[in-house]
Amino acid sequence: MELYQKTIHEINDLLDKKEVTVTDVTQAVVNRINAVEKATDAYLSLQTEAALEAAQGLDAELSGRAKRTSLEGIPYGLKDNMCTKGILTTCASKMLYNFNPPYNAEVYDRLSEEGGILLGKTNMDEFAMGSSTENSAYKKTRNPWDLNKVPGGSSGGSAVAVAADTAFYTLGSDTGGSIRQPASFCGVVGMKPTYGLVSRYGLVAFASSLDQIGPFTKDVEDCALVLNAIVGHDAKDSTSLNLEKTDYTQTLKQGVKGLKIGVAKEFFGEGLQPEVRKSLEDAIAIYKTLGASIVDVSFQHLDYALSAYYMISSAEASSNLARYDGIRYGFRAEEYSDLVDLYKKTRSQGFGDEVKRRIMLGTYALSSGYYDAYYKKAMQVRTIIKADFDQVFGGCDVLLTPTAPTTAFGIGEKTSNPLEMYLTDIYTVPVNIAGIPGVSIPCGLDNNGMPIGMQLLGPILSEETLLKTAWAFEHESGLTNLKAPLGTEV
């Protein structure tokens, strides 16, 4: 196995034993990027020269001390909606084509303090609005399992970088499934933590009450390692939870004997691809052999989740994106007659179709005479769905569901039908509405060799339980660090 194909914990073993250097590891990933990036288009911008310089500096520093942190010297990628001082942060939008942030996102600072080596900023749907990474203003990212398929979205570039071995881990943001759905499509592990567990400071806002940063990794143990680094209170984020530090690796291998795993029929209804259903049934059987008990649970109001999500997220997007007016920073139309014309032309030319669609929907929902009928009603539904989850978790510890109804679909297959595209998030959006954690892990392949994802959900702050449940399946099934059939040169 090549260095770039290994997991974080495998690389840690090699680095701690001094069998390889940080420069060796970084150079291996840079070589991999040079070989396959033109085919996958996972990155919007690359910092490979700076990464190699940082690796050499770290090697010199590490030669003088015995211990290193678990992410020190590990190359990674960052979704391009997280601020990086001195490095363009475009949100894959023409509107921010020249935005050089004056400060860093908190998660970037934390990874830098850990000694992480940034390889580049990954592609995404514009302002994180989309489910296929086809809404980027700059390029279309391709799924390494089949270059004619989408990687999912909106964090498609981050998922592909891990799946194609062009990063050991990446960070994405999840507003309605934007980490878990691409993780499912690309055969990697993707986690959306409890809302407020990871600081959103420096994350360019889409829908502030739903957005959450989380990791993409090659296996569950790596997910725990990255989570250890990015979780923690941040006074700069008013929604950040102030909790005692947790080491998510400590309980990882405790097993699931006696654990109650809930299965809800509402997640296994019409539209679920047969191979996805079969893989999940096989996963349930594995959990039974591991000593977990499977319980039937039910939701009363889950059918309303998708509608409520798109109403709430679009309303918040309308408000958050009002700042892009061509005055302070970012794109500005070249020709205009007055201030109002400047606003109109800047926003018309700077935003893509999907962003405009959601701004219009959100503005309408917040407008006088419609606020009560749409936005307020959606917020009431949100409260009901939270209560549904509370009731379900009264009878089980973990909920097992599909991550997505199908495996990855073809590039261009759903772009002409936004509603069909929105339905790909049907199993992930309720999680953001409730603010609970969720993780997607690979649980098989379909008849065309495309990855299938299983989603594990738990009550607020149940990350430890979710990770040990995920690790137990991964260890028993052998579905870990899956390798996409992408050649060494494309």
Side-chain angles (χ1 to χ4, degrees):
M1 185 183 283
E2 300 289 344
L3 274 180
Y4 60 76
Q5 294 179 308
K6 294 183 181 294
T7 61
I8 296 171
H9 54 91
E10 288 170 340
I11 292 294
N12 279 339
D13 287 342
L14 294 174
L15 286 171
D16 291 343
K17 292 173 183 174
K18 308 291 186 184
E19 292 181 14
V20 297
T21 64
V22 175
T23 303
D24 292 336
V25 173
T26 306
Q27 187 66 64
V29 183
V30 170
N31 290 346
R32 176 65 172 173
I33 289 171
N34 292 338
V36 304
E37 174 59 18
K38 284 183 181 177
T40 59
D41 276 331
Y43 289 93
L44 278 175
S45 63
L46 286 164
Q47 306 294 321
T48 50
E49 286 186 18
L52 287 167
E53 283 180 22
Q56 289 163 5
L58 200 51
D59 277 330
E61 188 185 325
L62 287 170
S63 65
R65 58 182 163 93
K67 290 189 176 181
R68 45 177 290 281
T69 67
S70 57
L71 295 182
E72 196 165 15
I74 306 294
Y76 71 98
L78 208 58
K79 188 175 180 180
D80 202 31
N81 60 349
M82 298 174 205
C83 288
T84 44
K85 187 176 181 180
I87 302 171
L88 286 178
T89 301
T90 69
C91 290
S93 177
K94 183 179 178 182
M95 187 63 83
L96 290 178
Y97 78 101
N98 62 352
F99 177 52
N100 195 331
Y103 63 95
N104 288 329
E106 175 66 14
V107 287
Y108 178 48
D109 275 342
R110 291 192 181 210
L111 292 176
S112 298
E113 286 165 14
E114 286 283 319
I117 294 179
L118 181 67
L119 291 164
K121 307 291 291 291
T122 58
N123 195 23
M124 56 185 281
D125 283 301
E126 184 181 6
F127 284 103
M129 299 181 196
S131 305
S132 65
T133 315
E134 292 173 286
N135 293 330
S136 170
Y138 301 106
K139 56 171 68 172
K140 284 182 173 61
T141 298
R142 296 175 180 273
N143 193 317
W145 289 82
D146 181 341
L147 296 174
N148 294 311
K149 304 273 190 184
V150 301
S154 64
S155 309
S158 290
V160 168
V162 175
D165 293 314
T166 53
F168 287 101
Y169 70 97
T170 56
L171 294 189
S173 63
D174 192 310
T175 309
S178 291
I179 291 174
R180 290 159 289 144
Q181 186 248 31
S184 173
F185 281 8
C186 293
V188 297
V189 175
M191 185 164 209
K192 175 232 170 278
T194 298
Y195 183 78
L197 197 60
V198 178
S199 171
R200 291 183 297 110
Y201 180 77
L203 173 70
V204 179
F206 162 16
S208 306
S209 75
L210 301 164
D211 297 340
Q212 186 60 82
I213 293 170
F216 288 93
T217 58
K218 296 179 182 182
D219 70 3
V220 176
E221 186 172 345
D222 281 5
C223 185
L225 290 171
V226 178
L227 210 58
N228 280 347
I230 62 174
V231 164
H233 179 250
D234 177 18
K236 301 186 294 298
D237 176 2
S238 62
T239 62
S240 177
L241 299 174
N242 195 353
L243 305 166
E244 286 187 16
K245 194 75 173 170
T246 301
D247 182 352
Y248 294 102
T249 63
Q250 288 299 303
T251 55
L252 204 57
K253 301 173 185 179
Q254 286 183 349
V256 293
K257 191 172 183 180
L259 199 76
K260 291 181 181 176
I261 299 178
V263 177
K265 64 180 185 296
E266 289 82 4
F267 284 93
F268 290 83
E270 189 180 342
L272 188 63
Q273 187 175 323
E275 297 104 303
V276 175
R277 186 187 301 275
K278 175 68 166 60
S279 287
L280 289 169
E281 288 170 351
D282 291 345
I284 290 167
I286 285 175
Y287 278 122
K288 284 180 180 177
T289 66
L290 292 173
S293 57
I294 307 299
V295 295
D296 291 328
V297 296
S298 186
F299 288 83
Q300 294 183 46
H301 307 98
L302 204 64
D303 288 348
Y304 304 109
L306 196 66
S307 301
Y309 165 79
Y310 276 100
M311 195 58 64
I312 294 165
S313 64
S314 297
E316 293 187 14
S318 167
S319 175
N320 279 326
L321 272 63
R323 71 193 70 177
Y324 304 113
D325 54 11
I327 302 297
R328 284 158 286 210
Y329 60 95
F331 173 77
R332 177 187 290 190
E334 292 184 0
E335 296 181 7
Y336 49 89
S337 57
D338 54 28
L339 186 62
V340 173
D341 193 42
L342 168 63
Y343 290 158
K344 284 181 180 177
K345 286 182 177 173
T346 294
R347 290 168 68 83
S348 294
Q349 295 168 24
F351 290 134
D353 289 346
E354 183 60 29
V355 174
K356 290 177 193 171
R357 189 178 291 120
R358 299 201 197 191
I359 289 173
M360 288 190 289
L361 174 62
T363 304
Y364 180 78
L366 292 173
S367 60
S368 177
Y370 297 100
Y371 178 93
D372 286 353
Y374 295 106
Y375 183 72
K376 184 179 178 183
K377 184 70 72 179
M379 291 300 286
Q380 290 169 335
V381 170
R382 182 179 197 169
T383 302
I384 291 168
I385 289 169
K386 281 183 180 178
D388 262 11
F389 274 105
D390 289 342
Q391 178 262 320
V392 163
F393 288 126
C396 68
D397 302 303
V398 172
L399 189 65
L400 185 154
T401 81
T403 308
T406 67
T407 52
F409 48 89
I411 291 173
E413 190 177 315
K414 297 183 188 292
T415 48
S416 61
N417 189 337
L419 291 178
E420 194 178 335
M421 185 75 80
Y422 296 166
L423 285 169
T424 64
D425 296 330
I426 196 165
Y427 299 142
T428 54
V429 294
V431 179
N432 300 77
I433 287 176
I436 61 174
V439 61
S440 178
I441 62 173
C443 69
L445 301 175
D446 72 5
N447 295 336
N448 294 315
M450 297 302 291
I452 296 167
M454 171 173 66
Q455 183 176 227
L456 298 171
L457 310 176
I460 284 171
L461 299 175
S462 62
E463 279 77 5
E464 284 182 283
T465 302
L466 290 183
L467 288 168
K468 78 173 184 180
T469 308
W471 187 89
F473 172 80
E474 180 186 81
H475 184 70
E476 184 68 19
S477 67
L479 293 168
T480 176
N481 193 12
L482 300 186
K483 292 303 167 199
L486 196 64
T488 53
E489 289 191 32
V490 179

